[in-house]
Amino acid sequence: MLRTIDLRDSRPSMSELLDLVPRAATDVAAALDPARELIDDVRSRGEAALLDQAERFDRVRPAAVRVSADELRAARDALTDEVRRAVESTIERVRAASAAQVPAPATTVLGPGAVVEQRWQPVARVGLYVPGGKAVYPSSVVMNVVPAQVAGVRSIALASPAQAAHGGRIHPTIAGVAALLGIDEVYAMGGAGAIGAFAYGVPGIGLDPVQRVTGPGNVFVAAAKRLVQGVTGIDSEAGPTDILVIADDTADADLVASDLVSQAEHDELAAAVLVTDSPAFAERVLDRLAARVAATRHADRIRTALEGPQSAVVLVDDLVQAADFANAFGAEHLEIQVRDADATLARIENAGAIFIGPYSPVSLGDYAAGSNHVLPTGGQARSAAGLSAATFLRPQQVVRYDEAALREVAPVIAALSAEEDLPAHGEAVTARFGDRP
C-alpha cells in the first residue's frame, strides 16, 4: 500500500534528500493562469463574477454573496449542544495558547536619551478562508478567527464556499461557529475568486480589501494566494495535508497506522510518510494499515492517498538519519514515537507542528490540543510557520533620541553616509546642530 524508499547504507546530502522526499503531483504554478483569470473576473465584475463562479465550481448559485445577520444567528442557535460545547472548549484552549504567542513590548536603552522600543502592532483587517469540498471544517473557523482576535485585529471577514446541499448557503455549522465567535461579516464565496475578493475588495457588497489572507484551500486557493502577495499578506500557500511519523520498534504499529490513515482521510493527494530504522516495525505498520483502511468509511480516498507518490515508508539506518529526512521533508504534522523522543526532537528544525509520544496524535492538534492546525504544507515548513497570533502582528521599532544622544552618534552617521555617498543623510543630522547652507 505504501511504497518504500530505502536509505540504509547511504548518507544523502540535503540536496539529495530534497530530491528524494515524496511529494504529491500538484503544481501550484500550473494553476496560476486559471486563478489569475478568476481573480481578474472578480475585480472586473464583482458580485456577479462570484455568483457565476459559485454556480460553475460549487454547482449552486447563492441568492447573495454576503451572508445575512439573520442567517448567522439562526445557524448559531441551531448548533447542537454537543457541538457547541466542543467548539467552546476548542476556542478556550486555542485562545489560551494563542495568547502566549503575542510578544511583550520591549524597551532597549542604548545610552542616556537613546531609546529603541519594540512594539507588535496588529493589522487592522483580515480575510479568513474556510474551505468546503470533501468535509466541513468548523475547527478551521476557530483556528483562523481566535488568533486574529487575540492579536487585536479589529475587522475580520470570513469566506467559505456556497454549498449545493444547503441551497447556496455556506455550511450552517461554519456559519454557526462564526456567529458564536462574534464574526458578522461572512461571505458565501470560494476558491481563487474568494482570495481575489479579499485582496482587492468588492465595493458592491461592502467588502473592503484586507491586509492579510489566511486559511487552507485547494491548489487554486494556493495559486491565488501567490498571485495576491504584494497586494495583501498571506499565511502560506497551504495545499493538501501531510503527516510524517518518525517511529522505532518501541512504537505501537496500530497507533502509527491509525495516525497515517487519519490524515490520508482528508484528500486523495494527502501525504502519509513513515520513517523508521526498523524494517520489521514497518511491516507491522503495513499490516495494520490494511486492516485500518478496510474498516473506515473513506477507504477509497485513503487508499488512493496511501498509494500515491506523496506517501511512503522510508527505511533509515538510525534516528539521526530519520531527523535529517524529516528536516528535508518539512512536514506539516510531525509525530515522534521513539524511545528518546527529546533526543530526536532536538535534531528537528523544520516542521509545522510536532506531536510527541503515543498520546499526542495529530487529531489532537486538529481539534483540542490548543495548538493551531492551519500549518504550512508541501515542504513549506522549511521556510514558513503555522498560523498563530504572530501571523496578524507586525513588529515595529519606535526610536526616541534626544539632542545629546543624537550628537553622540553623529560622527557614526557622518562616516557611514559619506562612505555610501549619501551626504544628505549626514547633513540631516548636522542640520540639527546649526549647520545650515
Side-chain angles (χ1 to χ4, degrees):
M1 188 172 293
L2 288 174
R3 67 190 179 100
T4 298
I5 300 173
D6 194 342
L7 300 182
R8 291 173 296 174
D9 300 321
S10 67
R11 285 291 173 179
S13 66
M14 180 54 69
S15 61
E16 290 169 333
L17 285 174
L18 290 171
D19 289 335
L20 288 168
V21 295
R23 294 290 184 216
T26 58
D27 184 2
V28 172
L32 289 175
D33 286 342
R36 185 180 288 108
E37 291 178 6
L38 295 168
I39 292 170
D40 289 345
D41 190 26
V42 171
R43 294 183 69 185
S44 174
R45 298 195 301 122
E47 182 177 28
L50 291 168
L51 293 171
D52 288 347
Q53 290 175 22
E55 190 168 13
R56 175 182 172 189
F57 298 111
D58 302 316
R59 303 179 306 283
V60 66
R61 190 176 186 88
V65 173
R66 180 77 180 253
V67 179
S68 70
D70 288 343
E71 181 180 335
L72 291 172
R73 282 193 296 269
R76 180 197 60 201
D77 295 343
L79 292 172
T80 67
D81 289 344
E82 182 181 24
V83 169
R84 183 162 183 154
R85 284 194 300 270
V87 169
E88 288 173 341
S89 174
T90 299
I91 290 170
E92 182 179 358
R93 289 171 176 268
V94 175
R95 198 176 298 281
S98 298
Q101 297 161 350
V102 179
T107 299
T108 305
V109 179
L110 298 163
V115 175
V116 177
E117 300 169 358
Q118 312 290 338
R119 72 172 189 172
W120 295 81
Q121 194 73 0
V123 296
R125 177 166 168 77
V126 299
L128 312 180
Y129 186 77
V130 178
K134 295 180 176 67
V136 55
Y137 295 105
S139 56
S140 287
V141 180
V142 176
M143 300 294 175
N144 275 277
V145 170
V146 170
Q149 291 177 331
V150 168
V153 177
R154 296 194 306 273
S155 178
I156 298 175
L158 186 143
S160 193
Q163 302 288 308
H166 296 283
R169 299 185 300 276
I170 69 170
H171 196 286
T173 306
I174 300 296
V177 174
L180 194 62
L181 284 159
I183 305 303
D184 57 10
E185 185 181 353
V186 180
Y187 300 93
M189 59 185 187
I195 304 304
F198 276 150
Y200 293 100
V202 183
I205 57 175
L207 172 51
D208 291 328
V210 303
Q211 292 167 270
R212 185 147 297 165
V213 177
T214 73
N218 62 20
V219 67
F220 295 101
V221 170
K225 283 184 173 183
R226 183 179 297 182
L227 290 169
V228 301
Q229 286 191 81
V231 176
T232 187
I234 67 169
D235 50 352
S236 65
E237 296 176 8
T241 189
D242 60 71
I243 178 175
L244 186 147
V245 181
I246 297 176
D248 61 15
D249 59 7
T250 66
D252 185 314
D254 186 61
L255 296 183
V256 170
S258 70
D259 293 348
L260 295 172
V261 166
S262 73
Q263 290 306 295
E265 181 178 40
H266 276 285
D267 190 274
E268 288 86 351
L269 294 175
V273 178
L274 168 64
V275 183
T276 182
D277 60 352
S278 170
F281 177 78
E283 288 298 326
R284 293 198 297 274
V285 171
L286 291 173
D287 287 343
R288 294 309 305 153
L289 269 178
R292 284 277 177 183
V293 172
T296 195
R297 180 185 305 173
H298 302 298
D300 290 343
R301 183 192 308 166
I302 294 166
R303 191 173 291 108
T304 299
L306 295 178
E307 292 175 350
Q310 71 273 17
S311 299
V313 171
V314 182
L315 300 177
V316 293
D317 286 320
D318 51 45
L319 295 179
V320 172
Q321 191 177 37
D324 289 342
F325 186 88
N327 285 327
F329 187 87
E332 177 189 15
H333 309 99
L334 172 63
E335 288 189 0
I336 300 176
Q337 298 190 36
V338 299
R339 286 181 184 83
D340 188 349
D342 286 335
T344 297
L345 176 63
R347 295 182 177 276
I348 297 300
E349 299 172 354
N350 306 324
I354 303 171
F355 301 83
I356 303 296
Y359 297 102
S360 302
V362 168
S363 298
L364 173 66
D366 282 342
Y367 299 109
S371 59
N372 202 293
H373 79 200
V374 181
L375 301 165
T377 63
Q380 290 186 81
R382 298 183 67 247
S383 59
L387 190 68
S388 71
T391 304
F392 304 99
L393 295 168
R394 299 156 298 171
Q396 295 176 340
Q397 300 175 82
V398 180
V399 179
R400 301 180 191 271
Y401 270 54
D402 64 17
E403 180 181 350
L406 179 61
R407 191 182 294 275
E408 182 180 352
V409 297
V412 174
I413 299 168
L416 291 175
S417 64
E419 181 64 23
E420 295 182 355
D421 193 24
L422 297 170
H425 282 61
E427 291 159 7
V429 173
T430 57
R432 285 164 166 75
F433 305 125
D435 183 7
R436 301 174 183 269

